[in-house]
PDB file of all heavy atoms in Angstrom:
ATOM      1  N   PRO A 296      86.854 114.390 110.437  1.00 92.00           N
ATOM      2  CA  PRO A 296      86.498 115.726 109.949  1.00 92.00           C
ATOM      3  C   PRO A 296      87.665 116.467 109.331  1.00 92.00           C
ATOM      4  O   PRO A 296      87.512 117.274 108.411  1.00 92.00           O
ATOM      5  CB  PRO A 296      85.971 116.453 111.209  1.00 92.00           C
ATOM      6  CG  PRO A 296      86.377 115.620 112.358  1.00 92.00           C
ATOM      7  CD  PRO A 296      86.641 114.232 111.880  1.00 92.00           C
ATOM      8  N   GLY A 297      88.879 116.122 109.767  1.00 92.00           N
ATOM      9  CA  GLY A 297      90.068 116.790 109.219  1.00 92.00           C
ATOM     10  C   GLY A 297      90.224 116.545 107.726  1.00 92.00           C
ATOM     11  O   GLY A 297      90.568 117.438 106.968  1.00 92.00           O
ATOM     12  N   ALA A 298      89.939 115.319 107.291  1.00 92.00           N
ATOM     13  CA  ALA A 298      90.081 115.003 105.865  1.00 92.00           C
ATOM     14  C   ALA A 298      89.072 115.780 105.046  1.00 92.00           C
ATOM     15  O   ALA A 298      89.401 116.350 103.993  1.00 92.00           O
ATOM     16  CB  ALA A 298      89.881 113.490 105.642  1.00 92.00           C
ATOM     17  N   ALA A 299      87.825 115.859 105.545  1.00 90.00           N
ATOM     18  CA  ALA A 299      86.803 116.613 104.810  1.00 90.00           C
ATOM     19  C   ALA A 299      87.134 118.095 104.775  1.00 90.00           C
ATOM     20  O   ALA A 299      86.951 118.780 103.766  1.00 90.00           O
ATOM     21  CB  ALA A 299      85.432 116.365 105.448  1.00 90.00           C
ATOM     22  N   ASP A 300      87.648 118.580 105.899  1.00 90.00           N
ATOM     23  CA  ASP A 300      88.023 119.980 105.987  1.00 90.00           C
ATOM     24  C   ASP A 300      89.079 120.324 104.936  1.00 90.00           C
ATOM     25  O   ASP A 300      89.063 121.381 104.333  1.00 90.00           O
ATOM     26  CB  ASP A 300      88.599 120.233 107.389  1.00 90.00           C
ATOM     27  CG  ASP A 300      88.216 121.565 107.933  1.00 90.00           C
ATOM     28  OD1 ASP A 300      87.287 122.177 107.390  1.00 90.00           O
ATOM     29  OD2 ASP A 300      88.832 121.992 108.926  1.00 90.00           O
ATOM     30  N   PHE A 301      89.960 119.392 104.717  1.00 89.00           N
ATOM     31  CA  PHE A 301      91.066 119.627 103.784  1.00 89.00           C
ATOM     32  C   PHE A 301      90.596 119.553 102.319  1.00 89.00           C
ATOM     33  O   PHE A 301      91.042 120.329 101.487  1.00 89.00           O
ATOM     34  CB  PHE A 301      92.163 118.588 104.041  1.00 89.00           C
ATOM     35  CG  PHE A 301      93.402 118.803 103.231  1.00 89.00           C
ATOM     36  CD1 PHE A 301      94.273 119.832 103.562  1.00 89.00           C
ATOM     37  CD2 PHE A 301      93.680 118.004 102.135  1.00 89.00           C
ATOM     38  CE1 PHE A 301      95.422 120.058 102.785  1.00 89.00           C
ATOM     39  CE2 PHE A 301      94.810 118.206 101.368  1.00 89.00           C
ATOM     40  CZ  PHE A 301      95.692 119.247 101.704  1.00 89.00           C
ATOM     41  N   HIS A 302      89.670 118.619 102.040  1.00 89.00           N
ATOM     42  CA  HIS A 302      89.358 118.342 100.640  1.00 89.00           C
ATOM     43  C   HIS A 302      88.048 118.956 100.121  1.00 89.00           C
ATOM     44  O   HIS A 302      87.802 119.004  98.932  1.00 89.00           O
ATOM     45  CB  HIS A 302      89.303 116.833 100.389  1.00 89.00           C
ATOM     46  CG  HIS A 302      90.647 116.196 100.441  1.00 89.00           C
ATOM     47  ND1 HIS A 302      91.546 116.269  99.399  1.00 89.00           N
ATOM     48  CD2 HIS A 302      91.285 115.512 101.423  1.00 89.00           C
ATOM     49  CE1 HIS A 302      92.654 115.623  99.728  1.00 89.00           C
ATOM     50  NE2 HIS A 302      92.514 115.171 100.951  1.00 89.00           N
ATOM     51  N   ALA A 303      87.174 119.403 101.045  1.00 89.00           N
ATOM     52  CA  ALA A 303      85.894 119.953 100.607  1.00 89.00           C
ATOM     53  C   ALA A 303      85.946 121.470 100.689  1.00 89.00           C
ATOM     54  O   ALA A 303      86.617 122.029 101.542  1.00 89.00           O
ATOM     55  CB  ALA A 303      84.778 119.400 101.483  1.00 89.00           C
ATOM     56  N   PRO A 304      85.229 122.158  99.774  1.00 90.00           N
ATOM     57  CA  PRO A 304      85.318 123.621  99.777  1.00 90.00           C
ATOM     58  C   PRO A 304      84.791 124.229 101.060  1.00 90.00           C
ATOM     59  O   PRO A 304      83.827 123.728 101.632  1.00 90.00           O
ATOM     60  CB  PRO A 304      84.430 124.029  98.582  1.00 90.00           C
ATOM     61  CG  PRO A 304      83.717 122.822  98.142  1.00 90.00           C
ATOM     62  CD  PRO A 304      84.355 121.614  98.745  1.00 90.00           C
TER      63      PRO A 304
END
Side-chain angles (χ1 to χ4, degrees):
D300 217 15
F301 186 74
H302 290 282

